[in-house]
């Protein structure tokens, strides 16, 4: 295979725009699948996971390669990457765009530009990825090509170049008019087309649009523009050649139209992907040599170069184990090649290379630069790794990790589930690196993700793929406790039960330290009131009680504890007695010292359209938030910074999406602890007590 005939195309767009159905139509038109699968029936090539079929949406990127013979007579391989449109699974879009050479933005001719379209367009723009647009669902009621085209131009600028016009619309849609060649194509029931003379309004509009498009294309080339203005009209071939360069440079964005269900325009879309989309050879990969922050260099997709692979996704397959999906950035990789992981330093054997089409595996002997393939059972190659010859350490800058603002705590149902939970969670995160796991002060196992649906899907996969069943509960907030004034108390233990008794007395003085300073134990004993060998036991008792909890049951912070006097018994005193006495004394002293609960406060940064700034700021204030500042960003975006208690933002990701129609984003990081308002103390303390001992409640 020739690298120049490979096209790596990510299908991106708003959820429900028709990406998976379009992928199915392309595969069917190429003869790869005998009949069209349907998303509603769970029979498509790209949506194969039970969780996807259940919800009727794509949840992770799926590879769907197909061969295509283009009008130039050459045989091409188009590697489609179908991506999720739902916001919770945007990390799948990140993975797809990291290896795609073109983003095909799928827009519904009925619904037009939606928030997901805007987000992914901006993402492609920032990444410098060439774009084409396919306006699908043109056969549906309320489809309106002209309305949506104007909407796209208003949103994305004048670089949108319509190469086709619909012939008919809604139920009457049956063909397309080619703007460059000025020919009409009517479609038959099997998805093939034949020429049709253009007449009436379509012919007039096509002629007008041809002149507009020609002028738009030549405006990007000074020499051609000068010829055009002097009356030298460029040929169709000249216009297409100019458009190829402008698509690659990201200055022009062709717009095509069709219907994935009826097949109108689908074959011409495949033709245009071959003709206009850049090949991997046109877009060298940017890598870092030596270390992840080493000097940047470009790697050209040359089949004769040194082999270099980038693993962009890992899948846990129930039959073959871990499957690593990769793009060959350079060289040619062959079965049984041995390559070294640039991250872990482990040598891996490339045994049993194959292509994936949905869940179908097709074995191959080799893969050339630019192609996408897969291999099973790489022992130490997580997502984001590179594989190269020994001695070559190369890193590919990975997509920025998505924030994980939504979290739930997991409780295994049985001991068997508990035993398997840790390893299963590691495999789950290996498959979906946008998840995160940690543990908190309450020893809860926390699963973090981008939203509630993301977590729900992860737990379904945890049960189905790894056989681990859990129930969920809210993540407990990491409250702390401190004091507001100085107080003294006596900790006394006196027990006699035959033989040696237990006797210890500690006089303790507690005082507040500066916020964030930490706690301290001060030994002020003089005159042997407590023997020196028992002082460490006193300190240990104090620190243990601080960790166990103060008056309200939360860990104690920022408290100075001074032991200034005490008593002992030469026979009945022991380390254990002094530990216990110190613990009792601390609890009593804190109760006298104006105890308060401290709650964690996060600094959140919210980005929303400017017209929504007031609503969002009002909502932040209702969450006991304090606005720290606002800023105006390019593109009509407002950035709001605020201090908000963590307890108030556990579901904020969903609330913000609802409030802003999906246009708002935020990230949060712990900033400091602050005193919990008095009217909330009883509620928080009661909840903590119930969590510690639920049987009493």
């Amino acid at each position: 295979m020739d690298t120049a005939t490979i096209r790596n195309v990510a299908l991106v767009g708003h959820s429900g725009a028709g990406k998976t159905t379009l992928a199915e139509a392309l595969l069917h038109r190429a003869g790869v699948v005998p009949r069209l699968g349907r998303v509603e029936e769970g029979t498509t090539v790209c949506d194969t996971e039970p969780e996807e079929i259940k919800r009727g949406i794509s949840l992770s990127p799926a590879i769907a390669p197909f061969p295509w013979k283009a009008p130039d007579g050459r045989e091409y391989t188009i590697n489609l990457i179908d991506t999720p449109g739902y916001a919770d699974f945007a990390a799948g879009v990140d993975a797809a765009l990291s290896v795609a050479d073109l983003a095909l933005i799928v827009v519904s001719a009925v619904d037009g530009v939606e928030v997901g379209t805007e987000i992914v367009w901006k993402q492609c723009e920032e990444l410098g990825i060439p774009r084409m647009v396919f306006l699908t669902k043109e056969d549906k009621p309320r489809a309106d090509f002209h309305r949506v085209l104007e909407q796209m131009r208003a949103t994305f600028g004048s670089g949108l170049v319509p190469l086709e016009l619909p012939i008919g619309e809604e139920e009457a849609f049956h063909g397309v008019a080619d703007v460059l060649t000025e020919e009409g194509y009517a479609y038959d029931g099997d998805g093939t087309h034949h020429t049709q003379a253009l007449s009436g309004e379509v012919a007039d509009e096509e002629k007008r649009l041809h002149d507009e498009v020609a002028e738009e294309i030549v405006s990007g080339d000074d020499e051609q523009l000068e010829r055009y203005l002097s009356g030298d009209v460029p040929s169709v071939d000249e216009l297409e050649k100019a458009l190829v360069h402008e698509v690659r440079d990201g200055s022009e964005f062709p717009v095509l139209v069709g219907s994935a269900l009826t097949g109108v325009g689908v074959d011409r879309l495949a033709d245009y992907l071959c003709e206009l989309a850049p090949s991997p050879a046109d877009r060298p990969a940017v890598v870092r040599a030596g270390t992840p922050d080493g000097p940047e260099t470009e790697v050209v997709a040359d089949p004769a170069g040194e082999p270099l692979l980038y693993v962009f996704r890992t899948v846990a397959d129930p039959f073959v184990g871990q499957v690593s999906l990769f793009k060959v950035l350079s060289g040619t990789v062959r079965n049984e090649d041995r390559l070294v992981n640039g991250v872990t330093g482990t040598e891996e054997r490339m045994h049993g290379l194959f292509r994936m089409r949905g869940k179908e595996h097709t074995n191959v002997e080799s893969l050339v630069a630019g192609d996408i393939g897969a291999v099973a059972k790489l022992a130490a190659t997580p997502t984001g790794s590179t594989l190269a010859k020994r001695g070559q350490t190369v890193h590919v800058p990975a997509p920025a990790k998505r924030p994980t603002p939504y979290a739930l705590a997991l409780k295994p149902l049985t001991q068997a589930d508990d035993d398997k939970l840790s390893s299963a969670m590691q495999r789950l995160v290996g498959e979906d690196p946008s998840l995160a796991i940690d543990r908190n002060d309450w020893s809860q196992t926390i699963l973090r993700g981008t939203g509630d649906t993301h977590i729900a899907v992860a737990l379904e996969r945890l049960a189905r793929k790894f056989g681990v069943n859990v129930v969920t509960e809210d993540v407990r907030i990491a409250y702390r406790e401190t004091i507001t004034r100085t107080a003294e108390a006596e900790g006394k233990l006196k027990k006699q039960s035959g033989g040696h008794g237990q006797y210890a007395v500690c006089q303790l003085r507690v005082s507040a330290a500066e916020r964030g300073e930490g706690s301290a134990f001060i030994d002020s004993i003089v005159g042997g009131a407590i023997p020196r060998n028992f002082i460490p036991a006193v300190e240990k008792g104090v620190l243990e009680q601080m960790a166990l909890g103060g008056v309200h049951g939360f860990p104690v912070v920022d408290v100075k504890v001074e032991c200034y006097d005490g008593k002992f018994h030469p026979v009945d005193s022991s380390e254990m007695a002094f530990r216990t006495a110190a613990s009792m004394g601390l609890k009593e002293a804190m109760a006298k010292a104006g105890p308060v609960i401290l709650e964690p406060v996060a600094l959140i940064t919210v980005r929303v359209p400017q017209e929504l700034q007031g609503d969002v700021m009002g909502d932040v204030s209702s969450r006991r938030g304090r606005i720290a500042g606002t800023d105006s960003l390019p593109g009509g975006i407002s950035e709001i910074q605020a201090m908000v208690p963590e307890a108030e933002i556990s579901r904020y990701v969903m609330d913000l999406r609802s409030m802003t129609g999906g246009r708002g984003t935020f990230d949060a990081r712990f900033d400091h602890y602050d005193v919990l308002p008095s009217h909330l103390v009883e509620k928080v303390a009661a909840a903590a007590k119930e969590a510690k001992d639920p049987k009493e409640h």
Side-chain angles (χ1 to χ4, degrees):
M1 184 187 296
D2 181 2
T3 296
T5 61
I6 295 173
R7 299 290 183 267
N8 296 316
V9 180
L11 296 178
V12 295
H14 191 82
S15 183
K19 299 180 294 297
T20 302
T21 304
L22 179 59
E24 194 74 9
L26 285 163
L27 295 172
H28 178 61
R29 188 65 186 83
V32 169
V33 294
R35 60 181 292 272
L36 278 172
R38 293 179 60 84
V39 170
E40 299 81 0
E41 297 169 2
T43 54
T44 63
V45 168
C46 293
D47 286 355
T48 58
E49 298 276 289
E51 296 80 19
E52 292 178 312
I53 294 169
K54 171 184 171 183
R55 290 170 173 82
I57 59 172
S58 300
L59 303 176
S60 52
I63 313 298
F66 66 91
W68 190 260
K69 190 169 184 178
D72 63 7
R74 302 171 77 189
E75 189 87 23
Y76 289 78
T77 294
I78 300 177
N79 290 317
L80 285 182
I81 313 172
D82 184 26
T83 68
Y86 193 74
D88 275 20
F89 305 96
V93 180
D94 300 341
L97 293 179
S98 72
V99 294
D101 299 303
L102 177 93
L104 181 61
I105 297 178
V106 182
V107 178
S108 164
V110 177
D111 301 311
V113 176
E114 299 174 271
V115 60
T117 321
E118 295 177 25
I119 290 170
V120 79
W121 184 280
K122 184 177 180 182
Q123 184 178 359
C124 292
E125 195 170 43
E126 291 171 350
L127 294 171
I129 294 177
R131 277 146 279 164
M132 290 174 60
V133 177
F134 188 72
L135 211 59
T136 189
K137 301 187 181 181
E138 183 63 19
D139 60 316
K140 298 290 186 184
R142 297 185 297 108
D144 190 333
F145 172 84
H146 298 91
R147 171 180 59 82
V148 176
L149 179 62
E150 287 307 308
Q151 189 185 17
M152 289 193 297
R153 282 176 161 167
T155 308
F156 305 128
S158 61
L160 291 158
V161 181
L163 300 184
E164 293 176 335
L165 282 172
I167 300 177
E169 202 150 36
E170 299 184 341
E171 292 178 358
F173 176 59
H174 65 280
V176 295
D178 190 310
V179 170
L180 294 184
T181 64
E182 302 186 81
E183 291 183 323
Y185 300 99
Y187 276 75
D188 302 317
D190 61 356
T192 59
H193 64 260
H194 57 273
T195 57
Q196 172 183 307
L198 297 176
S199 60
E201 290 183 5
V202 174
D204 295 340
E205 184 181 4
E206 191 281 328
K207 177 61 178 170
R208 177 183 57 78
L209 204 54
H210 175 88
D211 295 338
E212 282 183 18
V213 167
E215 189 170 331
E216 176 68 29
I217 293 173
V218 300
S219 65
D221 185 314
D222 290 343
E223 184 182 337
Q224 277 202 346
L225 180 59
E226 190 174 331
R227 285 171 48 203
Y228 181 77
L229 293 175
S230 65
D232 185 357
V233 179
S235 68
V236 172
D237 284 346
E238 287 175 322
L239 288 173
E240 285 189 349
K241 284 178 183 176
L243 191 54
V244 166
H245 293 287
E246 290 167 0
V247 169
R248 185 182 63 194
D249 296 340
S251 59
E252 303 289 351
F253 314 104
V255 179
L256 305 171
V257 63
S259 164
L261 283 182
T262 65
V264 176
V266 171
D267 55 347
R268 286 176 52 80
L269 168 61
D271 287 343
Y272 273 119
L273 289 175
C274 298
E275 292 172 8
L276 300 181
S279 80
D282 298 321
R283 302 187 72 248
V286 176
V287 302
R288 293 186 178 273
T291 62
D293 55 357
E296 281 191 355
T297 185
E298 288 189 342
V299 174
V300 178
D302 178 7
E306 291 291 334
L308 175 63
L309 277 58
Y310 170 62
V311 177
F312 66 94
R313 183 162 186 246
T314 305
V315 180
D317 188 286
F319 302 107
V320 298
Q322 177 176 300
V323 172
S324 300
L325 276 68
F326 60 84
K327 182 180 183 181
V328 185
L329 302 183
S330 171
T332 300
V333 61
R334 296 177 175 83
N335 261 320
E336 307 302 329
D337 276 357
R338 291 184 178 274
L339 300 174
V340 176
N341 186 308
V343 176
T344 64
T346 306
E347 184 178 83
E348 301 277 26
R349 183 164 69 106
M350 309 301 289
H351 176 66
L353 298 174
F354 57 91
R355 296 181 191 278
M356 287 188 75
R357 183 180 294 125
K359 60 182 178 181
E360 173 191 324
H361 296 183
T362 305
N363 293 330
V364 295
E365 288 301 313
S366 64
L367 292 160
V368 302
D371 209 352
I372 291 174
V375 65
K377 299 179 180 176
L378 299 186
T381 298
T383 298
S385 299
T386 55
L387 294 167
K389 291 287 188 184
R390 186 170 294 281
Q392 289 184 309
T393 306
V394 177
H395 297 266
V396 174
K401 189 169 173 60
R402 296 265 173 176
T404 52
Y406 185 73
L408 285 176
L410 312 183
K411 289 179 68 176
L413 280 179
T414 66
Q415 184 60 49
D417 292 322
D418 197 9
D419 295 341
K420 294 186 292 183
L421 180 61
S422 179
S423 61
M425 293 288 283
Q426 293 300 328
R427 292 176 67 190
L428 190 68
V429 173
E431 187 174 48
D432 183 358
S434 61
L435 293 166
I437 312 166
D438 60 35
R439 290 182 71 82
N440 64 5
D441 292 349
W442 300 85
S443 296
Q444 288 180 302
T445 298
I446 311 298
L447 180 61
R448 301 185 183 277
T450 54
D452 54 345
T453 305
H454 189 204
I455 296 295
V457 167
L459 296 181
E460 288 174 28
R461 285 178 171 166
L462 185 68
R464 177 176 61 85
K465 286 192 169 186
F466 309 114
V468 177
N469 295 286
V470 298
V471 293
T472 63
E473 60 184 10
D474 291 338
V475 176
R476 296 172 197 162
I477 303 297
Y479 293 105
R480 297 287 185 264
E481 205 168 322
T482 193
I483 57 175
T484 56
R485 58 179 180 264
T486 300
E488 296 178 356
E490 178 183 85
K492 183 174 183 179
L493 179 67
K494 184 177 181 180
K495 285 188 178 180
Q496 193 70 43
S497 55
H500 287 306
Q502 297 182 62
Y503 183 84
V505 177
C506 302
Q507 300 287 348
L508 301 179
R509 181 181 297 117
V510 296
S511 57
E514 290 292 323
R515 189 71 47 79
E517 182 182 331
S519 297
F521 175 79
I522 302 166
D523 171 18
S524 298
I525 295 295
V526 293
I530 298 176
R532 305 310 306 166
N533 60 310
F534 290 140
I535 297 298
V538 175
E539 181 177 5
K540 191 170 186 181
V542 166
L543 296 180
E544 284 178 343
Q545 185 58 47
M546 283 183 168
L548 193 61
V551 176
H552 300 292
F554 299 110
V556 176
V557 296
D558 302 334
V559 173
K560 295 177 182 177
V561 182
E562 180 185 4
C563 182
Y564 62 90
D565 201 359
K567 296 177 183 177
F568 75 100
H569 188 280
V571 176
D572 291 344
S573 289
S574 64
E575 289 189 2
M576 180 57 72
F578 274 101
R579 279 172 62 185
T580 305
S583 172
M584 295 164 63
L586 178 66
K587 288 180 71 174
E588 187 178 334
M590 283 199 63
K592 299 176 181 178
V596 291
I597 295 175
L598 299 176
E599 63 176 343
V601 176
L603 172 63
I604 69 169
T605 303
V606 189
R607 298 173 188 87
V608 296
Q610 285 178 349
E611 62 270 20
L612 298 172
Q613 176 178 317
D615 293 343
V616 171
M617 290 174 67
D619 179 71
V620 167
S621 297
S622 74
R623 297 171 186 269
R624 300 191 285 124
R626 297 194 304 274
I627 305 297
T630 61
D631 197 8
S632 293
L633 303 181
I637 300 298
S638 286
E639 183 177 88
I640 304 161
Q641 289 197 324
M643 297 292 181
V644 187
E646 287 186 6
E648 300 287 343
I649 56 173
S650 60
R651 291 186 56 84
Y652 188 56
V653 61
M654 285 83 76
D655 296 341
L656 182 64
R657 282 181 195 162
S658 175
M659 195 188 324
T660 64
R663 288 177 168 81
T665 62
F666 88 104
D667 52 64
R669 61 175 176 81
F670 169 76
D671 190 81
H672 66 280
Y673 274 92
D674 209 346
V675 176
L676 182 74
S678 57
H679 70 280
L680 296 175
V681 168
E682 187 176 337
K683 177 183 175 183
V684 167
K689 188 174 181 182
E690 181 180 357
K692 276 190 173 182
D693 193 0
K695 292 179 183 178
E696 290 185 7
H697 295 263

